Amino acid sequence: MKKRGIAGILAGMMLLSIACGNEEEKKPEEPTAAVTQAVDPGEPTSTPEPTKEEASTPKPTSTPEPTEVVEEEIPALQSVFSEHEMKVGTCLTTQMIEKDFLADIIKKNFNSVTMENSMKPDYILDKAESIEAGDLVVEFNTDIVKMLDFARENNMEVRGHTIIWHSQTPKWIFHENFDTNAPFVTREVMLARMESYIKQVFEKLDEYGYTDLFYAYDVVNEAWMEDGKIREEMNYWYQIIGEDYLWYAFYYADKYAPESIALYYNDYNEQYKTDALLKFVDTLVNEEGNYLIDGIGLQAHLYTGDDMNTYLNTVERLGATGLMVELTELDVSLGTWQNKLMDTDENLRTQGKYYYELIEGLFKLAEEGKVKMDALTFWGFADGLSWRKDASPLLYDTLYMPKYALYGALQIKEKAGY
Ligand code: GLA
């Protein structure tokens, strides 16, 4: 068992054609009417949350080339973040690396990547092989291999995303004989399947020779609600095992992951569930009181209307646990979730300033030793490729031209919209 060094915690247990996501949008506040979505098994499925709306994303087709190249004079994000000893990342799809001009933007700016979809449970759990083996079987497809090779060739590190989640997870894994017409398995069988699944994820990395690329892994994604309760709806891990599925997930990950991969809990609307997250991570300790977890991942799907002080306060409070804190899926949409705004010059300037102040605030918290943050990941880089493209949340526009937002992220204040 790994020793993670943080002890003393009370025991307890264009160009919209290359989609960076094909999912629903999350919206903060007011967890009211629950939305139950029908799941299309072949596609990245929606993340069923209370208060989310559809973001229909066209299927990837062809991508026109950008008309102008303006990259040369602009500094690289990674050089700015490395001054603060942080990696900076983007989510990644195969379509992004197959287009040279997109791959060039990625290679220039980022030294960390997260598979946007390809390493989610839907894509790594093999039904036919599981039936044959009588146990869950993990397989890596060619997309994963392609993207991990790209990362290695370009000296990038990788955040693993994600193992235990209620969404984009095949339902057959919860049933006897892996047959959705059969009853759910018992708690004991599900725990055994969970252990085997988690063990195989890390074994596969090793088998393919990729272990050294990974610095972090999201062990569990999105288990808590804004009202401080555990997610129940469509959360079959919880429904079958009970609330301690969370503890077991981290217990097994801690048991099988190499020391070099930091284990994360990842969630959204973090500024509205901070108390629940603080309470939760304190339960993730072993018998000696050492954390089974290394870090808290904050998805950071934000809006320009979100209060900056509230957000930075959340980062500071979570940082006070002594665990690492990473922003794992940052994008800043225009407006609020109730009222998205058009991409007018004024609104884009507001966004540029928002990125500037957010990242300035994070660098400051890290410098003051208030938070241990070794990486920040943007959920893409160009608006046309974003799951939230209707709200223009990223750093480059749909023509791959830099926005105020990029300069904000680069901490170049005079070009960030001020
Ligand atoms: C969540 C997940 C991500 C992704 C986004 C939408 O934040 O953690 O993997 O699915 O939703 O793109």
Side-chain angles (χ1 to χ4, degrees):
M1 175 160 312
K2 284 182 286 182
K3 286 269 183 263
R4 296 185 180 276
I6 303 165
I9 303 301
L10 291 178
M13 295 272 210
M14 2 196 197
L15 302 179
L16 310 182
S17 50
I18 302 175
C20 187
N22 187 9
E23 310 187 30
E24 292 182 332
E25 188 152 351
K26 300 183 180 71
K27 291 174 277 174
E29 295 164 341
E30 295 168 18
T32 49
V35 181
T36 311
Q37 296 288 332
V39 172
D40 171 5
E43 290 295 316
T45 60
S46 53
T47 312
E49 297 299 338
T51 68
K52 270 196 211 167
E53 71 198 42
E54 292 281 346
S56 64
T57 308
K59 295 269 187 307
T61 49
S62 66
T63 312
E65 303 288 321
T67 46
E68 209 178 323
V69 180
V70 289
E71 276 296 306
E72 289 83 58
E73 319 89 61
I74 307 171
L77 281 168
Q78 54 176 312
S79 57
V80 173
F81 279 72
S82 65
E83 281 168 28
H84 299 269
E85 286 163 20
M86 287 187 203
K87 290 180 272 289
V88 57
T90 176
C91 68
L92 196 67
T93 61
T94 49
Q95 291 91 340
M96 286 181 196
I97 63 178
E98 279 157 9
K99 292 284 171 194
D100 287 349
F101 71 93
L102 294 178
D104 287 346
I105 295 179
I106 296 170
K107 287 188 239 176
K108 170 183 172 179
N109 283 297
F110 301 107
N111 51 11
S112 169
V113 291
T114 305
M115 309 288 105
E116 203 263 341
N117 281 305
S118 302
M119 296 191 81
K120 289 175 175 173
D122 261 346
Y123 301 92
I124 63 169
L125 287 162
D126 188 305
K127 186 172 183 182
E129 287 193 33
S130 298
I131 292 170
E132 204 183 311
D135 185 15
L136 288 183
V137 173
V138 172
E139 283 298 351
F140 286 175
N141 62 29
T142 50
D143 283 355
I144 297 177
V145 170
K146 218 182 274 174
M147 284 187 273
L148 293 180
D149 285 348
F150 173 85
R152 180 154 46 208
E153 280 154 23
N154 295 291
N155 299 317
M156 293 167 180
E157 295 184 57
V158 184
R159 283 197 99 256
H161 176 74
T162 181
I163 305 179
I164 304 293
W165 193 19
H166 67 283
S167 181
Q168 291 185 257
T169 296
K171 185 130 190 281
W172 54 262
I173 70 169
F174 301 101
H175 291 267
E176 285 176 11
N177 307 318
F178 308 106
D179 174 358
T180 45
N181 295 316
F184 278 151
V185 294
T186 61
R187 167 183 158 90
E188 286 64 37
V189 171
M190 206 61 229
L191 279 172
R193 286 185 183 181
M194 178 192 264
E195 177 167 8
S196 172
Y197 168 33
I198 291 173
K199 180 167 179 262
Q200 287 178 65
V201 167
F202 294 105
E203 278 173 357
K204 276 281 156 201
L205 293 184
D206 206 37
E207 189 184 314
Y208 280 74
Y210 292 128
T211 301
D212 61 321
L213 290 183
F214 284 73
Y215 66 98
Y217 220 111
D218 291 330
V219 177
V220 178
N221 201 27
E222 305 183 342
W224 293 94
M225 307 299 285
E226 290 78 354
D227 62 3
K229 298 210 176 90
I230 203 159
R231 174 187 305 281
E232 295 184 11
E233 196 178 350
M234 286 179 70
N235 186 358
Y236 306 118
W237 291 109
Y238 166 76
Q239 290 178 23
I240 296 172
I241 297 173
E243 189 159 330
D244 60 356
Y245 86 95
L246 293 167
W247 187 86
Y248 276 102
F250 281 93
Y251 174 74
Y252 296 139
D254 180 69
K255 185 166 166 190
Y256 297 110
E259 193 76 40
S260 54
I261 300 180
L263 303 177
Y264 273 75
Y265 173 74
N266 195 48
D267 212 335
Y268 69 94
N269 282 356
E270 51 271 23
Q271 68 275 45
Y272 304 102
K273 22 175 117 151
T274 314
D275 290 338
L277 298 181
L278 284 167
K279 208 163 136 203
F280 167 56
V281 296
D282 267 4
T283 68
L284 296 175
V285 292
N286 64 15
E287 301 75 16
E288 288 93 50
N290 290 325
Y291 273 131
L292 297 166
I293 183 176
D294 298 296
I296 307 169
L298 309 180
Q299 291 185 8
H301 293 300
L302 301 174
Y303 286 87
T304 53
D306 285 342
D307 184 67
M308 180 74 65
N309 288 333
T310 306
Y311 194 78
L312 291 173
N313 188 256
T314 285
V315 174
E316 187 172 348
R317 288 180 68 203
L318 295 171
T321 59
L323 293 167
M324 314 275 297
V325 177
E326 278 182 8
L327 269 56
T328 56
E329 306 180 14
L330 175 62
D331 50 19
V332 183
S333 297
L334 301 180
T336 62
W337 70 264
Q338 303 95 326
N339 184 25
K340 291 200 197 95
L341 298 176
M342 298 293 291
D343 55 351
T344 61
D345 188 61
E346 188 189 347
N347 294 334
L348 293 170
R349 282 178 184 274
T350 302
Q351 181 186 48
K353 293 184 242 181
Y354 198 96
Y355 270 112
Y356 181 87
E357 283 161 33
L358 175 66
I359 289 167
E360 182 190 41
L362 295 171
F363 285 162
K364 192 155 172 270
L365 286 174
E367 258 152 45
E368 289 168 351
K370 291 187 173 149
V371 63
K372 284 197 272 176
M373 189 175 286
D374 68 345
L376 180 151
T377 298
F378 292 88
W379 210 237
F381 52 94
D383 285 343
L385 312 181
S386 167
W387 70 304
R388 283 179 149 184
K389 59 177 151 293
D390 295 345
S392 313
L394 289 169
L395 310 176
Y396 292 82
D397 68 15
T398 53
L399 297 171
Y400 303 99
M401 300 295 279
K403 296 167 61 186
Y404 300 115
L406 177 65
Y407 292 104
L410 287 166
Q411 299 292 282
I412 303 176
K413 193 168 184 180
E414 61 281 10
K415 290 190 175 178
Y418 288 90

